[in-house]
Structures are given as C-alpha cells and as structure tokens.
Amino acid sequence: MINKDKRKYFTAGELAAIFNISKQSLLYYDKVNLLSPDFISENGYRNYSIQQFLDLEIIVNLRALDISIANIKKYLEDRSKEHFLQLLQEKTAECQAIIHNNQEICDTIERIKEDMHVKELN
C-alpha cells in the first residue's frame, strides 16, 4: 500500500460521527458503489478523503429529502445544475402528489362526518 498521510483523511467512525449516521450506512454506500473509502489501512480502518467528505455531505442531504440512492448515484456522476434541478423538480412533484392524495382522504373523512351528523338529526 502507498504510504498516505492519515491526517488528511477521515476514518469511517469520524465521518459517521460528523454526519450523525451509522458506520453501517457507510458500509452500505460502499456496497452499492455510492461512496467507497479512498483506502483501507493495514489495521482495517476505512479512510475517506476530503472530496469524499464533501460527497457524503451531498448524499446525506439528498437522503434527508428522501431521494433514492439510485438517483443520488446518477447525480454524483453528473453534477450539473440542470440535473440537480431535475432531482428537486421530481421530488416536488412527488410531494405534491402525496399532498393531493392526503387532501382527498381528508375530504372523504369530512364527507363521512357530515353524513353521520345529518343521520343524527333525522
């Protein structure tokens, strides 16, 4: 292995603590080829560069928006403004569909309550 200055790297534990995620999340991101460590030291520690730190920041923030791993992976491969805006637009459309569906549920509940109230008066 090439001798690397470990002071320029973050261990999996350090990254997990900084981003308040589990080390298992980092292992999963490596497994699905989303974020792999720059190198694994002789003692088995997984070491991440500053660029990977920045990538993880993107990943964590997009996951907080419930954007899929697959879509995050695509974005990391093409970090254009247009691609980012497309991700946000797709998420906005998804949220609007959920709001619409929930509004229909609320409307149905209100109709049932009104029907029950009318039946009580008769």
Side-chain angles (χ1 to χ4, degrees):
M1 181 189 89
I2 298 171
N3 191 9
K4 299 208 179 206
D5 182 356
K6 292 181 184 168
R7 293 174 297 180
K8 295 181 180 180
Y9 292 87
F10 300 91
T11 65
E14 290 169 335
L15 273 187
I18 290 168
F19 287 99
N20 197 27
I21 62 173
S22 69
K23 287 197 300 186
Q24 294 302 321
S25 292
L26 289 173
L27 290 172
Y28 178 73
Y29 294 157
D30 185 19
K31 181 180 176 182
V32 298
N33 297 314
L34 183 62
L35 182 72
S36 297
D38 191 50
F39 72 96
I40 300 175
S41 60
E42 300 85 23
N43 60 5
Y45 284 22
R46 305 165 75 74
N47 293 271
Y48 296 84
S49 68
I50 190 68
Q51 180 58 52
Q52 291 166 311
F53 175 96
L54 298 171
D55 289 347
L56 183 58
E57 185 171 30
I58 292 168
I59 293 165
V60 167
N61 284 303
L62 292 178
R63 288 299 295 144
L65 295 175
D66 200 29
I67 293 175
S68 73
I69 296 290
N71 283 340
I72 293 171
K73 193 173 185 179
K74 288 177 190 172
Y75 172 70
L76 290 175
E77 293 168 358
D78 171 25
R79 297 178 192 215
S80 67
K81 178 182 175 182
E82 293 77 19
H83 193 173
F84 186 69
L85 290 173
Q86 177 188 355
L87 270 180
L88 295 179
Q89 184 59 40
E90 288 171 3
K91 193 62 188 178
T92 299
E94 182 182 320
C95 290
Q96 289 172 338
I98 291 168
I99 290 167
H100 177 74
N101 185 46
N102 285 340
Q103 186 60 55
E104 286 181 350
I105 292 169
C106 286
D107 292 347
T108 300
I109 290 169
E110 287 304 313
R111 280 193 303 276
I112 292 168
K113 287 167 49 179
E114 287 173 12
D115 287 349
M116 290 177 70
H117 181 69
V118 168
K119 288 178 183 178
E120 284 179 355
L121 294 176
N122 290 334

